[in-house]
Amino acid sequence: SKLDPGIINIQNWKIDYAEAIEISEEFYSETDGFTYDSVQINTCNSHKDKPEDWFVVLNDDQSKKRYYTRIDPYTGEIFVHSIWK
């Protein structure tokens, strides 16, 4: 945000973008019909009271499902997840 730019301490992260994608894939791997053909990934620090995080969206263009996760870049913990249709 230009109004309140947060600090992103990427040099201290333990989870890189490839690992964030793997964590998301593994989380949804047991979901019935899970498949994807593209990935959207970004990061931000949009809230003062929350740490920076990875946003991963695995897109299945055929079913129009989006598998969404927010992942802690320090621990790899998924703290938000949902399937959008």
Side-chain angles (χ1 to χ4, degrees):
S1 167
K2 291 181 181 180
L3 298 175
D4 184 22
I7 297 171
I8 297 179
N9 298 302
I10 198 165
Q11 69 278 2
N12 297 329
W13 290 6
K14 306 292 186 239
I15 306 300
D16 67 14
Y17 75 93
E19 291 169 309
I21 293 168
E22 286 179 20
I23 290 166
S24 190
E25 287 174 333
E26 187 174 312
F27 180 81
Y28 288 111
S29 67
E30 299 296 318
T31 302
D32 188 39
F34 171 68
T35 185
Y36 72 97
D37 41 37
S38 65
V39 176
Q40 294 170 290
I41 186 165
N42 64 20
T43 186
C44 75
N45 185 358
S46 58
H47 304 284
K48 288 181 183 181
D49 60 337
K50 295 180 183 177
E52 60 266 57
D53 54 6
W54 283 115
F55 286 65
V56 179
V57 181
L58 306 174
N59 301 298
D60 180 0
D61 291 335
Q62 183 174 356
S63 72
K64 304 295 184 207
K65 288 184 181 176
R66 307 293 181 249
Y67 300 89
Y68 170 76
T69 51
R70 288 181 60 186
I71 300 170
D72 183 310
Y74 298 98
T75 66
E77 175 188 359
I78 294 174
F79 53 91
V80 175
H81 60 86
S82 62
I83 301 172
W84 303 335
K85 194 168 182 182

